[in-house]
Structures are given as structure tokens and as C-alpha cells.
Amino acid sequence: TVEPVVHPSQPWPSEAIATAEEVAEHLGSGGVVVDARASERYTGDVETIDPQAGHIPGAVNVPFGGLLADDYKLRPDLGEWLTARGVDGNAIVYCGSGVSACLNVLASEAIGTGRPRLYVGSWSGWSSDPSRPVETGPTR
């Protein structure tokens, strides 16, 4: 039996948060932006939450579910798997609403490549602004 451990909550450090403008700048400078949603939401084939389907143009799709092995632990080849997709502490990660992308952040930290920044606005925030570009189509 494992005794539970209580850790007091801590605010997410402000330097680990990215704004929509920083996401666009990061992509413009060749940085990696990761969409952690399921592939069918990334491609725009299915959208269950937001009125606009698709993804941030230039983002790569690394679904958070792919980070896990069948036993729901981080997959044993996680470092190789994430590195092949360009995910490291320099990336910016987003999902649909800012929650599931945190697993991608945790995974990057777990393999020792640092903490990617989190775009908390995520797809809901990005796609709600009609001035921001949207892309649909195949997974990168």
C-alpha cells in the first residue's frame, strides 16, 4: 500500500505560458508548436467542441494519448518518440482547452528535455478569433 502524499498547489510559472502572439512568433521563427488533440480534431475531420475545425497552421500533431503505453504509464520509448516529432523544452504545446496538453509538457520534462511552454488559450482561444489563420488536412 502506498501512502498518499499531499503537495500544495502552485501557480503555473508565467514564463511557461505562451500567448497567441507568441505562438505565431514562435512558428514564424521556425519553432515547433504541438497540437496535443486527437488526429481527427487536428485534421478538422471531427470537431466536437469548437465551432471552427482544424489546427494552428504549422503545428505538428502529437496526440496526448500516444504518450502512454497500454498500462497507461508513459511509453518506454518516450524520449525517442517525442524527439522524432520535434518535441522538447523549446516547443509550445496546446490542445482544445489547455488541459490535456499538460501531459505533453510533463512527458517532455520526464525525458529531460525541459518544459515546453503551454498555450493556455489552446484551439478554443485561437479559433475564436477570425483574424487568426486556420489550417485543416493531414497530420504532420
Side-chain angles (χ1 to χ4, degrees):
T1 308
V2 176
E3 288 295 319
V5 176
V6 177
H7 294 281
S9 64
Q10 298 175 16
W12 197 266
S14 60
E15 66 274 5
I17 304 280
T19 64
E21 293 73 24
E22 289 170 326
V23 170
E25 290 169 12
H26 191 65
L27 282 165
S29 67
V32 173
V33 171
V34 174
D35 184 318
R37 298 174 300 154
S39 297
E40 57 273 8
R41 286 192 67 203
Y42 171 90
T43 61
D45 293 335
V46 172
E47 182 48 64
T48 57
I49 298 170
D50 297 299
Q52 174 72 44
H55 59 271
I56 297 173
V60 297
N61 188 220
V62 182
F64 74 94
L67 303 169
L68 304 174
D70 291 339
D71 62 0
Y72 298 105
K73 295 179 183 176
L74 293 174
R75 57 188 298 152
D77 63 342
L78 184 63
E80 179 182 316
W81 195 79
L82 285 177
T83 301
R85 289 155 178 79
V87 181
D88 62 20
N90 297 313
I92 295 176
V93 182
Y94 75 95
C95 56
S97 61
V99 178
S100 57
C102 291
L103 184 56
N104 294 59
V105 172
L106 172 83
S108 182
E109 283 191 287
I111 63 168
T113 59
R115 178 187 289 167
R117 288 187 291 163
L118 177 67
Y119 171 43
V120 178
S122 287
W123 180 245
S124 293
W126 184 274
S127 65
S128 68
D129 183 340
S131 71
R132 293 196 187 111
V134 170
E135 187 172 74
T136 57
T139 302
R140 292 181 202 223

